[in-house]
Amino acid sequence: MSKIIGGPGTVCGLILRIGQFLSASASMSVMLTATESYNRTAFHYLSASMCLQATWSFWLACAYLSALKYKKDLQTPILVSLFLGGDLVTAVLSLAAACSSAGVVVLYAKDVECCDVHDQFSCLRYGVAVALSFVTWVQIAVSFHVSFWIYASV
Amino acid sequence: MSKIIGGPGTVCGLILRIGQFLSASASMSVMLTATESYNRTAFHYLSASMCLQATWSFWLACAYLSALKYKKDLQTPILVSLFLGGDLVTAVLSLAAACSSAGVVVLYAKDVECCDVHDQFSCLRYGVAVALSFVTWVQIAVSFHVSFWIYASV
């Protein structure tokens, strides 16, 4: 298998995983503190999805760090297909969660203009959580496509 | 380039494109007739996204049909990368539109139970439009991954 920048076990791959973990954790934290007073299914789904994403990226970052330290090769067909499957699931879930929450935030902020009426609905806070989830998705999409490229290049 | 089932210019590829066109058109029609009395940004976005998807799939279906009839090869690197780019854009837009509309429908149907209060909000009709958009997305995702596989296998 050819070594590609951003692939499993590389420094760029590790930076991507750390970035995913940080943005997913930040999105989850902002959403969890915001939903204390305002419960919506889409927001709960975003929190759950970002929690899953943060966990997945954290363990992969640990695996990449270990591979870099002990000079192990993570770009074997079995491992790459495992990363690929996990990235596909988390990427689709992250985008779905980000978009469903974005739909609700736009509804409240633009369509019914709820931000001005109810003080307890913090449009800015929800907006930040959704933006962070989109940042997470972009990073996981990059990881997925790099893994897919490596897998298809065999 | 290796010929893969469901790839550009194959019978399976043509069936996929026709399926995408039909489900996207159906989703757009249901949503457009439903939004006459109830305007929401997410629903407009879904209609626009499904319109784009239906147009893209229609022209590709015509190209595939022509290739099958005149025995032309559509699996050249330039053409496959063109299909790949278009499929990537439409797949992401379709999933984003489906999820944002699903978030709003779930909000109305489950969180605020608006279906029982306002007769003008047809939860069933919006639900059908969202379900059809997810069906469209699954088909475009299959087309995209087949094209990506062919492109990466060069």
Side-chain angles (χ1 to χ4, degrees):
Chain A
M1 281 185 154
S2 55
K3 280 259 178 186
I4 293 176
I5 297 166
T10 63
V11 177
C12 284
L14 177 65
I15 292 166
L16 262 175
R17 295 296 175 190
I18 292 170
Q20 288 160 22
F21 170 73
L22 291 177
S23 54
S25 303
S27 173
M28 184 179 63
S29 307
V30 174
M31 190 52 92
L32 280 176
T33 51
T35 46
E36 275 175 11
S37 58
Y38 209 78
N39 290 324
R40 291 290 174 256
T41 305
F43 296 159
H44 286 305
Y45 174 42
L46 184 75
S47 304
S49 171
M50 288 299 113
C51 180
L52 176 73
Q53 182 62 67
T55 311
W56 171 251
S57 296
F58 175 76
W59 288 114
L60 285 194
C62 292
Y64 287 13
L65 198 65
S66 167
L68 282 167
K69 196 175 176 185
Y70 299 107
K71 298 195 191 307
K72 283 181 190 171
D73 184 23
L74 291 183
Q75 296 192 14
T76 61
I78 293 169
L79 283 175
V80 171
S81 61
L82 183 75
F83 300 149
L84 200 61
D87 281 348
L88 177 66
V89 171
T90 54
V92 171
L93 289 179
S94 295
L95 182 63
C99 293
S100 56
S101 292
V104 175
V105 170
V106 169
L107 176 84
Y108 277 106
K110 190 173 168 285
D111 298 333
V112 295
E113 290 174 6
C114 196
C115 304
D116 306 324
V117 182
H118 301 292
D119 287 338
Q120 78 268 26
F121 189 82
S122 168
C123 284
L124 180 67
R125 190 175 276 192
Y126 288 112
V128 169
V130 168
L132 283 166
S133 66
F134 275 112
V135 170
T136 308
W137 174 74
V138 169
Q139 294 175 89
I140 192 81
V142 171
S143 288
F144 169 73
H145 281 101
V146 169
S147 297
F148 197 90
W149 194 272
I150 295 168
Y151 192 72
S153 304
V154 179
Chain B
M1 281 187 155
S2 55
K3 279 258 179 188
I4 293 177
I5 296 167
T10 62
V11 177
C12 284
L14 177 65
I15 293 166
L16 263 175
R17 295 296 175 189
I18 293 170
Q20 288 161 22
F21 170 72
L22 291 176
S23 54
S25 304
S27 173
M28 185 179 63
S29 307
V30 172
M31 190 54 91
L32 280 177
T33 51
T35 45
E36 276 175 11
S37 58
Y38 209 76
N39 290 325
R40 290 291 174 254
T41 304
F43 297 159
H44 287 305
Y45 174 42
L46 184 75
S47 303
S49 171
M50 287 299 112
C51 180
L52 176 73
Q53 182 63 68
T55 311
W56 171 251
S57 297
F58 176 77
W59 288 113
L60 285 193
C62 291
Y64 287 13
L65 199 65
S66 166
L68 282 168
K69 197 176 175 185
Y70 300 107
K71 297 194 190 310
K72 284 181 189 168
D73 184 21
L74 291 183
Q75 297 193 12
T76 61
I78 294 169
L79 283 176
V80 171
S81 61
L82 183 74
F83 300 148
L84 200 61
D87 280 348
L88 178 65
V89 171
T90 54
V92 171
L93 288 180
S94 294
L95 182 62
C99 292
S100 57
S101 292
V104 175
V105 170
V106 169
L107 176 84
Y108 277 107
K110 190 174 167 285
D111 297 333
V112 295
E113 290 174 6
C114 196
C115 302
D116 306 324
V117 182
H118 302 294
D119 288 338
Q120 79 268 27
F121 188 83
S122 169
C123 283
L124 181 66
R125 190 175 274 192
Y126 287 112
V128 168
V130 169
L132 282 166
S133 65
F134 275 111
V135 170
T136 307
W137 173 74
V138 169
Q139 294 174 89
I140 192 80
V142 171
S143 287
F144 169 73
H145 280 103
V146 169
S147 297
F148 196 90
W149 194 272
I150 294 168
Y151 192 73
S153 304
V154 179

